[in-house]
Amino acid sequence: MSPETISSINWSIMTPEFIILGVTALLVVFDLFMPNSLNRKILGWVGIAAIFAALVSVALMAGGPVRSILDNTFRLDSFAIAFKMLLLLGAALVMFLAVSYEAKEGLEKYRGEFYYLFLIALSGAMLMTSSGDLITLYIGLELLSVSSYVLAGIQKDNLKSNESAMKYVINGSISTAIILFGMSYVYGLTGTTNTLDIAQKLSTLSDGNQVYLLSLAFLMILVGLAFKLSAAPFHMWAPDVYQGAPTPVTAFLSVVSKTGGFVIVIRILLTVFGAAATNGPNSMPIILHMQNYIAVIAGATMIIGNVVALRQTDIKRMFAYSSIAHAGYLLVAVTSLSANMFYSIWFYLLAYLFMNLGAFAVIQLVTEKAGSTKIADFAGLYRRSPVLAVSMGILLISLAGFPGTAGFIGKLNIFIGTFYGTTPHYVLASVMIATTVVSYFYYFGVMAQMFFRPAAEDSKFNIPFGILIVLIVAVIGSVLFGLVPNIAFNYMHNNLDIIGDFFK
Amino acid sequence: MNLHSILSILVFSPLLGIVVLAFLPKQAEKANKLVGFLFTLPALILSLAVYLHYLAGKNLADFSVTHSWIQFQGMNVQEPAFAVPYELGINGFQLLLVVLTAVVATLSAIGAVKFVKKEWKGYFMLFLLLETGMLGVFTAENLILFFIFFEVTLIPTFFLIGKWGYFEKEKAAYSFLIYNGLGSAVLLIVIMILFAKTGTTNIEILRKIMTDPNAHLSGGWKLGLLISLLIAFGVKLPIFPLHSWMLRVHVQAPPSVVMIHSGILLKIGAYGLIRFGMGIFPEQFKTLATLIAVLGVINLLYGAFLAFIQTDFKMVLAYSSISHMGIVLMGMAAMNQAGVQGAIFQVISHGLISALLFFIVGVLYERTDTSLIENLGGMAKGMPIAAGFLLAAGMASLGLPGMSGFVSEFMAFMGLFKTMPWLAAIGTIGIIMTAAYVLRAILGMTFGKAQREFTGVLDLKGVEYVPIVVLVLLIVLIGVYPSVLSSPLHATLETILLGLGG
């Protein structure tokens, strides 16, 4: 590429990514040259500022036409903007958690890494939302994954953390390899890695053998992605990793990483397999035939996540299974494969971001103080800190999907989707609602601890500034989007034409 | 005042109390109690105002209100977004239930002032949230809004039982949550299928669509949906064998909560069955009528027989509630003017009677720390006034003429005798049993063998008279002048019966 072509590229559409990457580089340098005695928290605040700058730049780009650069490998469409907003919002809250994190096990040494690895992972996820090519998609995914592996094991002296990081690396790399294998089939059949070109080539597909290969590719990619989403039966790594990792990292994995996972699901499955015809041009796309596989995974994920969560005594493990369960609900939305899907997934992830990060803020504070992660440590929280207990109560109610909260509207939206269309998924809908009732048990179990049981000790809580911010945003977000969800829906409808843009 | 905003103010006025309570210090016992009580009054005054407005011959439709609220994206790009508006409205049936809710809520707040011994601030905040949920349930004009309010009642009740209840309160709270959670899950599925098939959740529009012979749904589907509704509301009502959670709640929850629970929350099940079950699926309701009548008779007899052998007065009342809900089912199943009217009368009447009985139980428990019939024997000597009112409440419960229970049972049975004389005849055994268990329990307490000395100032005093006297007056008023209930019901009944084809 000559310098002229490089300068003629409209780099401005990558502004948010550049802001994050630039600041990451700055943080690395600062961290290197800062004297050891200086507190690294300042790096975290710089990171937060960068995320907000990126968020503003993304918001400013909303509503424009679809733009793409670098031979269509990087595209800025409404889908990318909408999901970048989610990622940035989630990452900002995670950073607030991170700056308030007071770990006991020698994390202080690696404080700097802690912040900029978050940012690197974030930029990977952001890249995924904009990828118009299998290669960029893959690079984004790896950027996200590799930094997550390191983050999970950042407490080097903690055995549990080491073990969980090891599990995460091994499982994660296998899943990436499987995804890559699936992608290679797609490349082999079409001779291109650009998703839109692939879609175009596949829409005229009529050879039965090729359809067979493509179906195999679909299943492989689905299996690989199921690992990333912690969907059953490939969810085993999640509880260990969630338990072993520092709480802000767990929060990051459960929200930002999961959003990234769904971005890749929608990008690959819809563009590539939504276009591949099964019986010549204009016939049913492969993905409609594969709907049932996704439905089975969704059902199994919801059942396993919710049922196993019942037996947990460790709050972080319980939230790991809860997070698995929520991945199941989101997969139900994927199964509907309708225009509603984009909005319901986006809205659910938005709701999930608030309720889960808020809950992790409380978990972080309570487990730090208690020095353990038992659910029993929440006993009597209402006495010790009514603010924490009531906030946690509201967030748990939202997680359980009760009306008046964003969690309810999110579930309702997904639920509506299962009943529409030519083949309504009645069984899946019933599984979803039955498992939701099962989830009342463990969410209200925490409530019972907080409100009904006496406290083991009476010491009060000091709520650090960062945690307070997360809690306020989370509670307001959960309630606001539960009472007037149209704020979010209207913004999407008016500024972002996801469906129109997606296939352009 | 703008008539359209009255219902919204009525439903959400208790929430204002929550805001005020939030700013009160925890320790301010009197202030918390006072605020909690005062904020049940706006709903009471407004609901009575609506009732007077109706009596003055005005149209209740003036009160209905609609705003756009949520728009979900449609399934295709071209398809318009499907909308869930915010719609409140009121008809005669709903009016009666709203008045009942407001009355019982205010009296229960007085009960709470007496019976709740700790953490008044939290109690009243949850209580007011519960009241908003109940008022919303009875005024919601679309199913999703109904469902939201329905669920809103769940959370405060869970905490009210689990935190302020007696010994096994947590267990009771959990079984309440899970049974009712499952019930609402089934309900949500029904609502969503209706929504998906018709594109609306407005109850009136759904009623028109579903009673149209060229409906969107086949008869089999409708029957399935009605059976699901029967299960969903059957948990709430409760219909045998879905009742076990309710016994726990009645025994473990604090008396002021049981007043609400037995007086109103159980009625949501009856309301749902009549308004949605009968209203939206009249044809299928006919098909199921015999089954529902049989379930009603089972409830009536099962409750009555088991009430007879209980030693704890609370358990007697709990089984008595199950038994009385059987009469509601039987009245519904008759599907004629007298039957349905009897069912609705029973809903209101039982709401008042059970609130009265549980208030008295609360008073007794507060003074003697027991609700065992044996231990309360001979109370008429020490607490003659309380014993007198207890006797009056018992008479109302067993359906003595001149009290509300009589009118309700009489009409429900009259209706059922017209359509299913055999079942009705078997049901009459229940009436005899009712007289037997009520008299056994109440006479055992008032004039039974004395186990302890009832001396000192034990009898009713001060503010305790208010709920008791108000409830007794209302019960007698309905008994001697039933048209306070029947005249608002007239139009509603006609609509329902029109759907049933006569």
Side-chain angles (χ1 to χ4, degrees):
Chain A
M1 229 186 276
S2 67
E4 290 78 42
T5 33
I6 292 182
S7 61
S8 70
I9 293 172
N10 181 14
W11 291 109
S12 67
I13 67 168
M14 286 183 89
T15 315
E17 280 82 358
F18 282 136
I19 293 177
I20 299 293
L21 283 174
V23 173
T24 312
L26 269 181
L27 291 187
V28 173
V29 176
F30 276 154
D31 189 38
L32 195 62
F33 290 107
M34 261 165 83
N36 275 341
S37 54
L38 270 183
N39 194 332
R40 296 295 196 266
K41 261 187 194 172
I42 182 77
L43 299 183
W45 291 109
V46 175
I48 291 173
I51 293 174
F52 275 107
L55 192 58
V56 170
S57 71
V58 171
L60 291 177
M61 286 189 247
V66 180
R67 282 157 286 178
S68 65
I69 54 170
L70 302 172
D71 281 338
N72 261 331
T73 52
F74 186 95
R75 36 190 285 128
L76 188 79
D77 51 13
S78 303
F79 175 82
I81 292 173
F83 280 85
K84 267 179 207 171
M85 283 181 180
L86 280 185
L87 290 168
L88 287 165
L89 198 57
L93 294 181
V94 168
M95 285 294 268
F96 275 116
L97 290 185
V99 290
S100 316
Y101 187 62
E102 305 288 347
K104 295 204 168 76
E105 282 143 0
L107 187 67
E108 215 42 56
K109 273 187 269 176
Y110 314 109
R111 197 90 206 206
E113 280 99 318
F114 201 48
Y115 299 123
Y116 50 74
L117 281 168
F118 274 129
L119 293 181
I120 294 175
L122 171 66
S123 61
M126 286 166 73
L127 189 60
M128 271 155 59
T129 61
S130 276
S131 54
D133 193 284
L134 294 182
I135 307 283
T136 32
L137 200 62
Y138 182 72
I139 289 174
L141 179 65
E142 279 303 83
L143 209 50
L144 172 64
S145 306
V146 173
S147 15
S148 307
Y149 304 150
V150 183
L151 278 170
I154 201 162
Q155 286 168 305
K156 287 186 203 168
D157 305 329
N158 182 334
L159 269 183
K160 250 196 182 148
S161 185
N162 284 346
E163 185 194 330
S164 72
M166 203 62 209
K167 278 187 184 161
Y168 194 24
V169 173
I170 293 171
N171 278 313
S173 356
I174 293 173
S175 73
T176 338
I178 297 175
I179 294 176
L180 205 53
F181 195 31
M183 283 182 178
S184 72
Y185 277 45
V186 177
Y187 175 72
L189 286 170
T190 57
T192 171
T193 52
N194 184 294
T195 47
L196 289 181
D197 289 348
I198 294 175
Q200 210 194 349
K201 289 221 166 95
L202 290 182
S203 61
T204 53
L205 195 70
S206 55
D207 185 341
N209 285 327
Q210 290 187 355
V211 172
Y212 176 70
L213 278 180
L214 208 57
S215 308
L216 266 182
F218 175 86
L219 287 179
M220 268 187 278
I221 293 177
L222 189 63
V223 165
L225 288 178
F227 267 109
K228 296 281 170 204
L229 299 174
S230 67
F234 313 110
H235 63 279
M236 316 292 192
W237 60 272
D240 293 327
V241 175
Y242 276 45
Q243 189 184 13
T247 311
V249 176
T250 314
F252 177 85
L253 292 180
S254 78
V255 174
V256 181
S257 216
K258 180 161 284 165
T259 307
F262 276 95
V263 164
I264 196 171
V265 166
I266 298 175
R267 274 281 182 211
I268 290 202
L269 296 187
L270 271 186
T271 26
V272 174
F273 298 98
T278 34
N279 292 309
N282 295 328
S283 62
M284 237 186 17
I286 284 185
I287 195 159
L288 286 179
H289 287 284
M290 296 293 171
Q291 231 175 352
N292 288 340
Y293 292 99
I294 307 178
V296 168
I297 291 187
T301 308
M302 289 187 290
I303 293 172
I304 292 177
N306 280 310
V307 172
V308 184
L310 292 175
R311 301 194 44 188
Q312 303 308 316
T313 53
D314 183 295
I315 188 89
K316 279 165 97 180
R317 280 187 91 82
M318 192 200 99
F319 265 78
Y321 282 105
S322 141
S323 161
I324 292 169
H326 285 277
Y329 305 142
L330 281 157
L331 279 171
V332 173
V334 177
T335 319
S336 81
L337 292 176
S338 58
N340 176 278
M341 178 185 97
F342 292 100
Y343 295 98
S344 54
I345 292 182
W346 183 82
F347 187 86
Y348 200 91
L349 284 168
L350 178 72
Y352 187 64
L353 183 158
F354 289 123
M355 55 203 190
N356 219 36
L357 288 180
F360 271 112
V362 179
I363 291 174
Q364 182 175 324
L365 207 54
V366 172
T367 52
E368 261 172 30
K369 183 136 188 163
S372 90
T373 50
K374 293 260 174 297
I375 294 179
D377 294 333
F378 280 78
L381 187 62
Y382 178 66
R383 287 289 164 86
R384 299 172 65 192
S385 169
V387 178
L388 280 185
V390 171
S391 312
M392 185 71 168
I394 292 171
L395 298 166
L396 286 171
I397 284 173
S398 185
L399 281 164
F402 273 95
T405 60
F408 172 72
I409 302 288
K411 269 197 186 135
L412 192 67
N413 205 354
I414 291 177
F415 206 58
I416 290 172
T418 58
F419 286 108
Y420 274 83
T422 42
T423 49
H425 294 269
Y426 293 113
V427 178
L428 199 58
S430 313
V431 172
M432 178 170 172
I433 202 140
T435 51
T436 299
V437 176
V438 171
S439 77
Y440 293 175
F441 265 112
Y442 57 87
Y443 289 129
F444 277 79
V446 180
M447 298 262 216
Q449 292 286 355
M450 292 192 303
F451 293 101
F452 301 163
R453 303 282 159 80
E457 55 161 334
D458 269 347
S459 60
K460 304 282 180 222
F461 281 90
N462 292 323
I463 305 178
F465 180 67
I467 298 233
L468 191 66
I469 298 255
V470 178
L471 266 186
I472 292 173
V473 172
V475 170
I476 290 181
S478 298
V479 174
L480 185 72
F481 289 116
L483 296 177
V484 271
N486 259 40
I487 299 176
F489 286 134
N490 284 346
Y491 181 80
M492 292 285 283
H493 287 300
N494 299 337
N495 293 303
L496 304 163
D497 178 17
I498 292 191
I499 310 150
D501 281 3
F502 196 74
F503 299 102
K504 257 179 218 159
Chain B
M1 203 194 298
N2 183 358
L3 286 184
H4 293 290
S5 53
I6 285 191
L7 281 186
S8 302
I9 299 175
L10 175 86
V11 170
F12 294 107
S13 60
L15 294 185
L16 275 180
I18 299 182
V19 176
V20 176
L21 281 170
F23 290 104
L24 283 178
K26 245 182 179 173
Q27 295 76 17
E29 179 187 338
K30 282 208 174 127
N32 278 315
K33 284 177 169 179
L34 187 68
V35 170
F37 165 71
L38 283 181
F39 276 90
T40 61
L41 291 181
L44 180 65
I45 293 166
L46 284 174
S47 66
L48 291 176
V50 175
Y51 189 78
L52 289 178
H53 182 88
Y54 169 78
L55 285 188
K58 304 271 177 54
N59 194 349
L60 284 177
D62 294 344
F63 292 103
S64 53
V65 53
T66 309
H67 290 296
S68 64
W69 184 33
I70 311 176
Q71 274 97 30
F72 293 112
Q73 165 68 39
M75 290 302 135
N76 300 312
V77 185
Q78 300 84 11
E79 202 177 305
F82 40 97
V84 179
Y86 166 83
E87 305 170 277
L88 294 184
I90 198 162
N91 65 23
F93 184 22
Q94 289 164 293
L95 172 63
L96 292 178
L97 286 167
V98 168
V99 175
L100 175 75
T101 308
V103 169
V104 175
T106 304
L107 300 181
S108 160
I110 298 179
V113 168
K114 289 294 305 169
F115 305 137
V116 173
K117 301 288 177 212
K118 56 169 187 182
E119 299 186 42
W120 302 273
K121 180 176 169 176
Y123 180 92
F124 279 109
M125 283 171 105
L126 290 166
F127 174 79
L128 291 171
L129 180 63
L130 175 61
E131 189 185 358
T132 288
M134 293 185 301
L135 291 168
V137 160
F138 295 129
T139 49
E141 282 295 312
N142 77 53
L143 288 172
I144 295 211
L145 204 58
F146 172 85
F147 181 78
I148 290 175
F149 283 120
F150 188 73
E151 291 279 280
V152 163
T153 62
L154 227 59
I155 299 163
T157 314
F158 171 81
F159 284 111
L160 287 173
I161 300 167
K163 195 161 174 72
W164 285 270
Y166 296 109
F167 187 58
E168 286 196 321
K169 53 196 176 186
E170 275 190 40
K171 221 174 174 183
Y174 264 103
S175 50
F176 169 80
L177 184 75
I178 296 308
Y179 269 90
N180 284 277
L182 280 173
S184 18
V186 176
L187 180 63
L188 185 62
I189 293 181
V190 174
I191 293 174
M192 284 295 124
I193 291 178
L194 283 173
F195 193 19
K197 300 285 178 192
T198 62
T200 179
T201 52
N202 182 287
I203 296 164
E204 280 310 299
I205 298 175
L206 271 178
R207 202 174 56 75
K208 290 199 181 95
I209 293 177
M210 286 295 149
T211 45
D212 183 356
N214 321 309
H216 298 52
L217 282 170
S218 69
W221 265 107
K222 287 188 194 166
L223 192 63
L225 290 179
L226 180 63
I227 293 174
S228 311
L229 273 185
L230 196 61
I231 296 169
F233 290 122
V235 172
K236 206 90 205 169
L237 196 57
I239 296 176
F240 176 87
L242 304 170
H243 65 281
S244 60
W245 63 274
M246 168 268 200
L247 300 170
R248 282 208 191 111
V249 170
H250 273 193
V251 177
Q252 301 300 338
S256 46
V257 174
V258 187
M259 282 172 77
I260 289 280
H261 183 258
S262 177
I264 300 159
L265 288 177
L266 300 187
K267 275 61 194 180
I268 297 175
Y271 169 76
L273 277 181
I274 294 173
R275 182 116 198 264
F276 312 139
M278 252 185 186
I280 299 180
F281 307 104
E283 283 300 313
Q284 289 64 40
F285 203 89
K286 269 186 194 162
T287 322
L288 288 186
T290 320
L291 172 74
I292 293 172
V294 170
L295 286 173
V297 172
I298 294 176
N299 251 43
L300 176 61
L301 296 180
Y302 170 84
F305 274 107
L306 284 172
F308 190 70
I309 55 169
Q310 300 306 318
T311 52
D312 187 337
F313 191 50
K314 281 188 196 163
M315 284 301 271
V316 174
L317 294 182
Y319 278 110
S320 150
S321 284
I322 294 177
S323 175
H324 280 107
M325 290 303 104
I327 294 176
V328 174
L329 286 174
M330 287 161 66
M332 260 185 248
M335 295 199 308
N336 47 31
Q337 169 104 22
V340 179
Q341 200 168 345
I344 296 177
F345 269 44
Q346 178 73 344
V347 166
I348 310 284
S349 150
H350 182 257
L352 298 170
I353 296 173
S354 61
L356 174 59
L357 280 164
F358 274 103
F359 186 86
I360 298 178
V361 170
V363 170
L364 293 177
Y365 198 94
E366 198 202 12
R367 286 157 168 67
T368 60
D369 275 330
T370 180
S371 56
L372 289 181
I373 296 171
E374 199 185 11
N375 291 349
L376 286 166
M379 63 172 269
K381 275 192 200 121
M383 342 175 38
I385 304 176
F389 279 116
L390 180 63
L391 206 60
M395 293 304 120
S397 179
L398 64 78
L400 193 78
M403 297 181 127
S404 62
F406 173 73
V407 197
S408 333
E409 284 177 24
F410 179 74
M411 280 195 292
F413 270 98
M414 195 167 78
L416 196 64
F417 263 112
K418 247 182 230 164
T419 50
M420 296 169 215
W422 278 107
L423 278 173
I426 299 172
T428 48
I429 301 171
I431 303 250
I432 302 164
M433 285 303 300
T434 309
Y437 73 75
V438 169
L439 289 175
R440 182 190 77 96
I442 289 189
L443 292 180
M445 285 157 72
T446 49
F447 299 109
K449 199 171 144 211
Q451 294 285 327
R452 64 162 81 209
E453 272 189 37
F454 288 90
T455 49
V457 194
L458 279 173
D459 217 343
L460 294 185
K461 59 174 188 282
V463 75
E464 288 169 350
Y465 278 106
V466 179
I468 293 186
V469 171
V470 170
L471 287 168
V472 169
L473 284 180
L474 285 173
I475 290 166
V476 174
L477 175 69
I478 296 171
V480 295
Y481 189 65
S483 61
V484 282
L485 296 188
S486 60
S487 71
L489 276 180
H490 192 69
T492 319
L493 271 177
E494 238 162 41
T495 331
I496 293 175
L497 294 170
L498 200 69
L500 293 169

